[in-house]
Amino acid sequence: MTNTVTHKHVHDDQDHKTHGLKRWFYATNHKDIGTMYLVFACVLFFLGGAMALVIRAELFQPGLQFVDPGFYNSMTTMHALLMIFGAVMPAWTGLANWMVPMQVGAPDMALPRLNNFSFWLLPFAFTLLLLTLFVPGGAPAGGWTLYPPLSLQAGDSFPLTIFSIHLMGISSILAAINVIVTILNMRAPGLGLLNMPLFCWTWLITAYLLIAVMPVLAGAVTMLLTDHFFGTAFFTASGGGDPVMFQHLFWFFGHPEVYILILPAFGVISEIIPTFSRKPLFGYQSMVYATASIAFLSFIVWAHHMFTVGMPLAGQLFFMLSTMLIAVPTGVKVFNWCATMWKGSISFETPMLFAVAFLFLFTMGGLSGLMLAIVPADFQYHDSYFVVAHFHYVLVPGAVFAIMAGVYYWLPKWTGRMYNEKVGKLHFWLSAIGVNVLFFPQHFLGLAGMPRRIPDYSTQFADWNSVSSVGAFIFGFSQLLFVYVIWSAVRSGEKAAVRPWESARGLEWELPTPAPYHSWETPPSQGVIAKGSMR
Amino acid sequence: MANAHASEHAADKYYVPHSSPWPIYGSVTLFVFMIGLCGWLNEWYGPWVFSVGVLMLVGLFVGWFAVVIGEHQRGIYNMQVDKSFRMGMMWFIFSEVMFFAAFFGALFYARQLSVPWSGGEGVKIFNKLLLFPEYSATWPTNGPAALGPRVDGSFEVIPAFGVPAINTAILLLSGVTITIAHHALKESNRRILNIFLAATFLLGFLFVGLQAEEYILAYTELGLTLSTGIYGSTFFMLTGFHGVHVTLGAIMLLVIWFRTMKGHFTPQRHFGFEAVAWYWHFVDVVWLGLFVFVYWV
């Protein structure tokens, strides 16, 4: 190291928390930044949820009652963008911020200032996006997939949408770099890769996917921008371009993106089920390999989102078969979770309830995905409510339930306080019932032929639509309970035990409760690592 | 840990940097930059907000890097931090590779699939029969409507074995000079280091200058512009983004050169130098792809 003499004067106060606003604006602490991510995700979850309720209120009956069709289309578009990029992805990054350093035996993320940069890009990105609601022409209304030529016909919202996606992309890439470097470089000496908690593994692979595909989305939306403003012809057939090319580029990003949303969920579930089954995870290594296989396959299945655009038969066959292959590693995971519970001494605290619901309901979403993978069947299902039901099953009782499970599971370690188990369970049951009333009927609607992204519908769809809307309001309002239960735990929860869950494994549980500001200031000893090791 | 320098005295202690205003400043900067660009494109107001954003961006790079360079010079970073920086830079370059992959993907898709389909290839015979009967799908093309600045829809391309070949030689040579500079740095031969690093960024700027001349030629004489159909789109977006990267890379080399002139870096510790060298090799490799697939075949 150069100039080692002069550094005597350097006193970077690492112990001292900065206080007041500076603690948050200038943050370098992984827990503070994680908290900001989680709070941000929660706010956007409610904003996106409010938009979903506008949609479901409009669809409660046939005919137009509350909003005009243009605004309705803006709601579906904005709901998707907010939930994917504003709620689920930041929630995962928040959990990664909290848990990865604790689980790998590090004091913090590898690149703490970059970490703060990734977070603070998000509020500005979503300010840009939400501003579109107030510009001439209204918010983007062509669907979150931004297919041209429709998306090119947007009003002043167009560049705002594009640039907000650029900012979100930069944020995601920087966060992903941080996670990878933390896991690969900050692991405590002696903690092997195959001894890490699965949450770290799934996030490692997720981060790889993020770095690989977010730039492709950035490139694709940049082409939209230049087609709109600078006369390029990427997506204009008369100039030799092709609008379908955008769909290929978009889904080359889009399909790995759905695994970006769900892989960390696999990690959380793989931590919670063993804890509450009081057994080690069945098939740890096969879980890791299954995750890696899913990530690999996610790059070669993208065109199953566009079977109806008229691609060559060979393409349809290839993408159908590669998509079905994903069922194999996913099946390995579901089998392993079931085998972990088999003959376990199971108890059903709130995190476990969410995890078991995930196991059932995510699998259902996976099975409807398998139906959609079949080309001739997809010709019927495409762009119908069946698709809406499918991806909401994997995203809501899939990703969102896993996020909530993770928050309930780790909250005592974070805050040193226990949540109210009764209210937690009430929140679970209302959510689980609400989500099924909300989304299950949409399978029937889709199979009966109801198209998605339509504010009005034929009267034969009326009954199941009103059922679905009732479910939406039950599910939506019961999430206020989630905020209440977290808030009351943080404010006045009972003191949590050092080991709130007696059979939980992983290095994070070897820290005091609540976890110290800088998680592991010195690397954990070999004994501690052995105790916290997953195998 | 009491303070940062504890980390290097006790190898078992970790280093955590102190808090910093630069990340939030950077976020505000990008926001101003982008909302400025939006307002400019939407014709809400002129380029003024955008210009402020650009100035703030320059401030961001100067300010944040100054802090990091200062901390490095004071020896605050231990080898673990050094390794984190290295890995971070590699993954960042990987993200850049994927960004270019999107545009190369567009090029290959157009050349191999969508343009032949427009000409009625295979099962797309009805495009020929009904949609574009006059169109013969060859490459380069500006599409069935022959988009572009010339009234007759014609345009010319820049031949590979003219300036582009010279540019290839320039970039390959700059790859050699930076490697010589790197070896000189490792052997503490500062004079050779300074000379060859200077040669590298001069070659970089020479490349950019020649590219600019080609662009002027394309716009003024060849009828080749951004709006010359799919050929113009892929040509200018690929070479344009590459040119931006070369310019940034050359500026980065210039900064590193200022640092080596000031005596920064040691044979053992020179992450900044290596990061810029990697970046330089990356733009070099992208150019080889461009030379082959955009200009040559």
Side-chain angles (χ1 to χ4, degrees):
Chain A
M1 198 162 308
T2 54
N3 304 334
T4 33
V5 219
T6 54
H7 68 245
K8 284 273 186 278
H9 303 288
V10 182
H11 289 284
D12 295 320
D13 299 326
Q14 299 172 19
D15 275 351
H16 298 241
K17 284 185 199 178
T18 35
H19 290 285
L21 284 179
K22 267 194 183 174
R23 175 174 174 192
W24 306 105
F25 287 130
Y26 295 180
T28 42
N29 181 276
H30 74 104
K31 297 191 179 70
D32 287 347
I33 295 170
T35 304
M36 288 195 288
Y37 262 113
L38 289 173
V39 170
F40 178 83
C42 189
V43 170
L44 272 272
F45 181 64
F46 279 96
L47 260 177
M51 292 175 176
L53 291 186
V54 171
I55 295 167
R56 283 319 316 174
E58 178 58 49
L59 294 177
F60 184 67
Q61 305 179 348
L64 297 177
Q65 30 269 327
F66 299 110
V67 293
D68 68 82
F71 186 73
Y72 176 90
N73 287 339
S74 290
M75 286 294 101
T76 57
T77 306
M78 294 288 276
H79 163 74
L81 290 170
L82 257 56
M83 286 303 200
I84 292 168
F85 294 103
V88 174
M89 287 169 71
W92 284 133
T93 316
L95 282 170
N97 257 295
W98 265 97
M99 298 320 301
V100 167
M102 284 159 71
Q103 290 187 328
V104 300
D108 207 296
M109 298 293 277
L111 305 159
R113 291 176 190 152
L114 195 70
N115 199 14
N116 198 33
F117 192 29
S118 341
F119 169 73
W120 278 107
L121 284 170
L122 284 179
F124 292 103
F126 283 90
T127 305
L128 277 182
L129 187 62
L130 290 167
L131 270 177
T132 60
L133 286 163
F134 307 102
V135 299
W144 81 283
T145 52
L146 304 168
Y147 284 1
L150 187 58
S151 65
L152 295 173
Q153 295 161 15
D156 282 3
S157 69
F158 183 75
L160 292 156
T161 315
I162 301 294
F163 288 126
S164 79
I165 288 172
H166 278 306
L167 284 183
M168 293 168 203
I170 296 170
S171 160
S172 298
I173 291 167
L174 298 182
I177 289 175
N178 223 331
V179 169
I180 292 190
V181 176
T182 305
I183 293 175
L184 295 184
N185 194 35
M186 303 291 280
R187 248 173 24 258
L191 179 68
L193 276 174
L194 284 172
N195 292 327
M196 290 193 306
L198 259 173
F199 183 67
C200 291
W201 257 114
T202 54
W203 237 111
L204 181 67
I205 293 167
T206 302
Y208 168 74
L209 291 180
L210 275 167
I211 301 176
V213 302
M214 290 308 289
V216 176
L217 176 68
V221 298
T222 303
M223 291 178 213
L224 282 180
L225 188 83
T226 56
D227 268 17
H228 187 96
F229 287 109
F230 303 106
T232 57
F234 286 107
F235 310 128
T236 310
S238 62
D242 184 358
V244 174
M245 181 166 82
F246 178 83
Q247 303 186 18
H248 283 289
L249 287 168
F250 181 87
W251 288 112
F252 183 82
F253 145 79
H255 199 79
E257 168 69 15
V258 307
Y259 291 101
I260 288 164
L261 300 172
I262 202 66
L263 288 184
F266 292 166
V268 170
I269 299 305
S270 303
E271 313 258 332
I272 292 175
I273 286 184
T275 296
F276 294 93
S277 306
R278 289 160 185 83
K279 277 177 65 192
L281 182 68
F282 184 89
Y284 173 94
Q285 265 184 321
S286 65
M287 283 299 215
V288 173
Y289 297 139
T291 311
S293 314
I294 291 172
F296 168 73
L297 288 171
S298 75
F299 285 108
I300 54 165
V301 298
W302 74 87
H304 66 216
H305 295 268
M306 34 192 294
F307 279 145
T308 57
V309 298
M311 76 180 95
L313 185 65
Q316 295 182 340
L317 281 173
F318 172 79
F319 286 110
M320 172 168 82
L321 295 172
S322 60
T323 303
M324 292 178 138
L325 261 185
I326 295 185
V328 177
T330 315
V332 167
K333 285 184 165 293
V334 172
F335 177 85
N336 284 350
W337 289 323
C338 295
T340 306
M341 289 167 71
W342 181 254
K343 291 193 173 173
S345 163
I346 305 176
S347 62
F348 292 98
E349 283 86 354
T350 310
M352 183 61 165
L353 285 174
F354 274 103
V356 173
F358 171 97
L359 187 50
F360 277 94
L361 300 176
F362 171 79
T363 305
M364 250 172 56
L367 292 174
S368 59
L370 212 48
M371 293 168 71
L372 287 161
I374 301 165
V375 173
D378 182 72
F379 284 4
Q380 170 70 18
Y381 306 146
H382 190 87
D383 256 351
S384 76
Y385 253 85
F386 190 80
V387 177
V388 178
H390 155 68
F391 67 71
H392 279 97
Y393 259 89
V394 288
L395 276 176
V396 185
V400 173
F401 271 27
I403 290 165
M404 287 171 174
V407 170
Y408 279 114
Y409 181 58
W410 282 308
L411 191 74
K413 184 47 84 181
W414 297 343
T415 61
R417 293 174 185 278
M418 205 63 189
Y419 61 87
N420 183 327
E421 194 64 62
K422 271 201 183 123
V423 187
K425 281 184 174 159
L426 180 66
H427 168 232
F428 166 76
W429 284 110
L430 284 172
S431 299
I433 293 168
V435 88
N436 282 293
V437 176
L438 165 56
F439 293 119
F440 205 78
Q442 296 183 0
H443 290 110
F444 311 145
L445 289 169
L447 292 177
M450 178 167 161
R452 61 191 286 210
R453 293 170 170 158
I454 290 285
D456 189 5
Y457 49 82
S458 174
T459 46
Q460 82 252 28
F461 304 128
D463 292 348
W464 286 123
N465 264 309
S466 40
V467 172
S468 177
S469 292
V470 169
F473 280 84
I474 296 173
F475 179 78
F477 281 94
S478 52
Q479 300 321 308
L480 294 172
L481 268 181
F482 181 58
V483 177
Y484 166 77
V485 72
I486 301 297
W487 181 254
S488 59
V490 172
R491 298 290 293 186
S492 54
E494 279 177 45
K495 280 254 178 300
V498 177
R499 282 184 170 276
W501 322 111
E502 80 282 0
S503 39
R505 296 185 73 183
L507 273 183
E508 76 266 35
W509 304 107
E510 307 302 323
L511 284 165
T513 298
Y517 195 57
H518 291 297
S519 302
W520 297 93
E521 291 199 20
T522 49
S525 69
Q526 297 308 309
V528 171
I529 288 178
K531 224 173 134 199
S533 167
M534 300 313 284
R535 298 167 69 219
Chain B
M1 134 194 24
N3 48 43
H5 65 256
S7 56
E8 77 186 87
H9 293 304
D12 58 332
K13 281 254 182 181
Y14 285 115
Y15 167 76
V16 180
H18 63 83
S19 60
S20 163
W22 289 106
I24 181 93
Y25 171 81
S27 304
V28 174
T29 298
L30 286 183
F31 180 72
V32 173
F33 182 89
M34 286 183 166
I35 194 118
L37 204 47
C38 290
W40 190 12
L41 291 171
N42 277 338
E43 294 169 358
W44 294 341
Y45 39 71
W48 307 114
V49 180
F50 175 67
S51 310
V52 173
V54 172
L55 288 179
M56 288 174 73
L57 201 59
V58 173
L60 173 69
F61 283 118
V62 173
W64 196 342
F65 280 121
V67 170
V68 174
I69 292 168
E71 287 175 351
H72 173 80
Q73 289 305 108
R74 281 175 290 156
I76 291 176
Y77 301 147
N78 59 24
M79 285 317 275
Q80 189 177 28
V81 178
D82 192 79
K83 197 172 172 197
S84 290
F85 286 165
R86 276 158 200 283
M87 295 170 100
M89 188 67 192
M90 285 187 201
W91 286 101
F92 171 70
I93 289 176
F94 174 56
S95 80
E96 291 266 52
V97 169
M98 293 309 291
F99 182 76
F100 276 97
F103 288 89
F104 273 107
L107 176 71
F108 297 149
Y109 183 87
R111 291 187 64 166
Q112 298 301 317
L113 299 171
S114 68
V115 168
W117 286 344
S118 302
E121 190 195 74
V123 293
K124 309 284 182 174
I125 182 71
F126 285 101
N127 285 341
K128 183 80 182 168
L129 296 177
L130 303 173
L131 212 49
F132 311 125
E134 309 286 300
Y135 179 56
S136 71
T138 51
W139 189 264
T141 181
N142 51 355
L147 301 180
R150 288 185 186 168
V151 186
D152 66 351
S154 69
F155 71 99
E156 294 154 64
V157 301
I158 294 169
F161 289 95
V163 175
I166 296 170
N167 266 341
T168 308
I170 288 172
L171 277 192
L172 287 176
L173 185 62
S174 74
V176 174
T177 54
I178 198 165
T179 305
I180 294 173
H182 191 195
H183 280 278
L185 172 55
K186 283 208 228 171
E187 286 150 20
S188 294
N189 192 340
R190 306 293 295 202
R191 206 173 65 88
I192 298 290
L193 166 66
N194 291 335
I195 291 170
F196 277 84
L197 196 53
T200 310
F201 73 73
L202 287 175
L203 286 168
F205 285 120
L206 178 63
F207 173 93
V208 175
L210 289 174
Q211 276 296 84
E213 207 161 321
E214 291 289 272
Y215 274 23
I216 293 167
L217 183 75
Y219 263 79
T220 52
E221 316 225 329
L222 303 180
L224 177 60
T225 69
L226 255 184
S227 47
T228 307
I230 189 69
Y231 184 85
S233 307
T234 50
F235 175 83
F236 279 106
M237 292 300 278
L238 273 164
T239 58
F241 271 118
H242 177 261
V244 170
H245 281 76
V246 175
T247 310
L248 287 176
I251 294 170
M252 284 152 66
L253 286 167
L254 186 62
V255 172
I256 294 296
W257 183 68
F258 283 132
R259 291 187 63 191
T260 61
M261 294 293 276
K262 283 182 78 176
H264 290 196
F265 305 122
T266 66
Q268 292 78 33
R269 296 290 301 271
H270 46 265
F271 160 72
F273 180 96
E274 280 186 83
V276 173
W278 294 339
Y279 194 80
W280 195 249
H281 288 306
F282 150 71
V283 297
D284 197 0
V285 170
V286 171
W287 174 260
L288 292 180
L290 288 178
F291 180 69
V292 173
F293 295 111
V294 175
Y295 290 97
W296 189 3
V297 296

